[in-house]
Amino acid sequence: MAYLTYFDLVESLIAASFGGPQDAEQRDIRSAIHRAYNELTTIRDWGYYSVHGRIVTSPAYTTGTIGIASGAVTLSGGSFATAGVTASNARYWTIRTGDRSYPLASYSSATAVTLDSQFSGIDVTAGASYTLFRTVYPLPDDFRNMDEPSDEFNWWSGLYVTPDEAMKIERVSNSSGEPYHWTLIKDPAGSGWAIKLVGWPTSKETIDFTYRRTARPIRYSGHETALRQGTISRTGDAVTGSGTAFSEAWAGSVLRVASGSQAPGPIESLYPYISESLITAVGSATALTTASSGTIASSRGYLITDPIDIAPHMYSAMESYCDYWLARIRNQSPDKAFQMAQRDLRLAFEQDQLAPLSGRSNRVYHDGGWRSPLLPDQG
């Protein structure tokens, strides 16, 4: 199936607004596409974006004894490195001694770590017993939201709690082992999100979950000079450029090839592309590889553009939303365009189903002995 690309949407808006070739550089067209893309891909939990994720837990560590002085923790008879603490993941770990928990801030060595400053006001005499555990695990960079996680033996026996509830449970009644309650927090060591278990793992195990990812960002429309300069040839999956300026940033973009030396237009144009393929890697300014193989004679025109990361049944809604946003940005009575966008969005909603439900039981059972009803579609 042909890709819907950033290039296609720009060309479509140029044609719809009776513009000329110079309109490919207009900011309002590009802004309309980006706004439509952001809105459409997040307006619903589309089945297209459901993917499988996994975290691997780290077991608690209690070897040796510790002392805490002015936020610095010194370990005797054990190794933070052996437990799994590193410079990059220290902020995911907590030390508990007595009735207090102390989140870590940084890793200095196998026997020295530093506490988060706001939790380091009370010193602990050397020789104290402790439990070092990790309950925070970063989620994928493209994470948007998720369903209930599942351990290796049951669907799940813990519950989602708010971050505030997690803090209170952890403070007054924290304990080891399953079942874990869980919550979602900002990744303390990054800009994304993390899952936090309430209760610490006693062994290494996997926890799986289904989450909705964000759509792949778009940046390159294919109208930029560097994305169509020079010519190419291909043997197998290897593409060789002449006078090209390929960039590593184009991995994941779409390469379209013309029948001659001129850069191709959309499939409905007078000079359409004859083949297209995803770029898998860029080796240099004149060499890249593609997901599909074939033979292309030398001196062929081409262009590179970003794919629109949506399912085919969302294409019409995407195009209508672009029309709506362009009318809105240009203050050109967007009401009619909005009505058409809503019509196409409703059709996309109706088609957002890949598995038939007819004849299926409305109850789900599993070997843990409990059951739960299937919830209605939230769309």
Side-chain angles (χ1 to χ4, degrees):
M1 181 176 292
Y3 293 100
L4 177 67
T5 68
Y6 193 176
F7 179 81
D8 297 325
L9 294 177
V10 170
E11 292 293 308
S12 176
L13 289 184
I14 291 173
S17 58
F18 304 102
Q22 73 280 0
D23 289 324
E25 299 302 324
Q26 288 191 4
R27 184 176 297 178
D28 57 357
I29 287 178
R30 295 169 183 267
S31 294
I33 293 170
H34 279 268
R35 293 185 185 185
Y37 190 45
N38 290 338
E39 182 171 336
L40 179 65
T41 57
T42 59
I43 202 169
R44 173 189 175 94
D45 285 341
W46 299 98
Y48 183 74
Y49 300 117
S50 290
V51 290
H52 183 185
R54 170 175 291 176
I55 61 174
V56 180
T57 63
S58 299
Y61 186 77
T62 59
T63 302
T65 60
I66 63 166
I68 302 176
S70 301
V73 182
T74 302
L75 174 63
S76 300
S79 168
F80 290 128
T82 299
V85 184
T86 66
S88 61
N89 72 16
R91 296 190 69 86
Y92 303 141
W93 292 79
T94 297
I95 283 180
R96 188 172 181 88
T97 181
D99 293 326
R100 298 188 182 97
S101 294
Y102 299 85
L104 304 192
S106 62
Y107 171 89
S108 300
S109 71
T111 57
V113 295
T114 303
L115 303 179
D116 189 309
S117 59
Q118 63 179 316
F119 300 103
S120 59
I122 299 178
D123 293 345
V124 175
T125 303
S129 61
Y130 74 97
T131 301
L132 173 69
F133 57 91
R134 176 176 177 176
T135 59
V136 178
Y137 298 85
L139 292 163
D141 292 340
D142 61 358
F143 173 86
R144 192 166 74 87
N145 62 43
M146 65 181 286
D147 297 320
E148 184 179 68
S150 175
D151 64 18
E152 294 177 353
F153 307 104
N154 294 287
W155 280 19
W156 195 248
S157 49
L159 299 173
Y160 170 79
V161 294
T162 66
D164 178 62
E165 290 169 333
M167 179 275 295
K168 291 171 180 173
I169 296 171
E170 188 173 59
R171 178 166 175 79
V172 302
S173 61
N174 208 11
S175 60
S176 64
E178 303 174 16
Y180 309 117
H181 294 325
W182 62 283
T183 192
L184 297 177
I185 62 173
K186 180 190 174 298
D187 184 347
S191 59
W193 296 96
I195 185 171
K196 180 176 183 178
L197 304 179
V198 183
W200 59 81
T202 55
S203 62
K204 187 174 184 179
E205 64 175 296
T206 59
I207 295 177
D208 288 17
F209 53 91
T210 299
Y211 75 97
R212 259 67 55 193
R213 64 177 179 84
T214 54
R216 182 184 186 275
I218 55 173
R219 180 174 182 180
Y220 302 107
S221 75
H223 295 89
E224 301 88 339
T225 300
L227 283 93
R228 51 173 62 202
Q229 73 180 41
T231 57
I232 61 170
S233 61
R234 181 169 72 182
T235 301
D237 62 359
V239 176
T240 302
S242 175
T244 55
F246 299 155
S247 167
E248 292 181 1
W250 300 347
S253 295
V254 174
L255 171 70
R256 285 181 169 174
V257 182
S259 58
S261 59
Q262 179 181 342
I267 194 66
E268 68 272 14
S269 69
L270 295 176
Y271 195 72
Y273 62 92
I274 60 170
S275 67
E276 62 179 357
S277 180
L278 280 180
I279 297 170
T280 55
V282 178
S284 69
T286 58
L288 60 79
T289 56
T290 59
S292 60
S293 301
T295 300
I296 299 175
S298 60
S299 301
R300 290 289 183 88
Y302 73 97
L303 70 82
I304 293 170
T305 180
D306 280 332
I308 301 299
D309 185 17
I310 59 177
H313 63 266
M314 300 163 65
Y315 285 1
S316 293
M318 180 65 196
E319 292 167 350
S320 293
Y321 260 85
C322 288
D323 292 338
Y324 160 67
W325 272 105
L326 184 60
R328 181 172 171 178
I329 290 170
R330 290 181 174 178
N331 196 25
Q332 294 179 338
S333 302
D335 292 350
K336 290 185 178 180
F338 182 73
Q339 292 176 7
M340 183 59 69
Q342 290 296 294
R343 177 259 186 193
D344 289 339
L345 180 64
R346 184 175 64 254
L347 293 177
F349 278 6
E350 292 173 357
Q351 297 176 73
D352 194 42
Q353 177 178 298
L354 299 178
L357 298 177
S358 176
R360 291 179 58 184
S361 169
N362 66 347
R363 299 287 177 177
V364 176
Y365 294 83
H366 83 110
D367 59 2
W370 54 265
R371 62 176 183 164
S372 63
L374 291 174
L375 299 178
D377 184 6
Q378 298 300 311

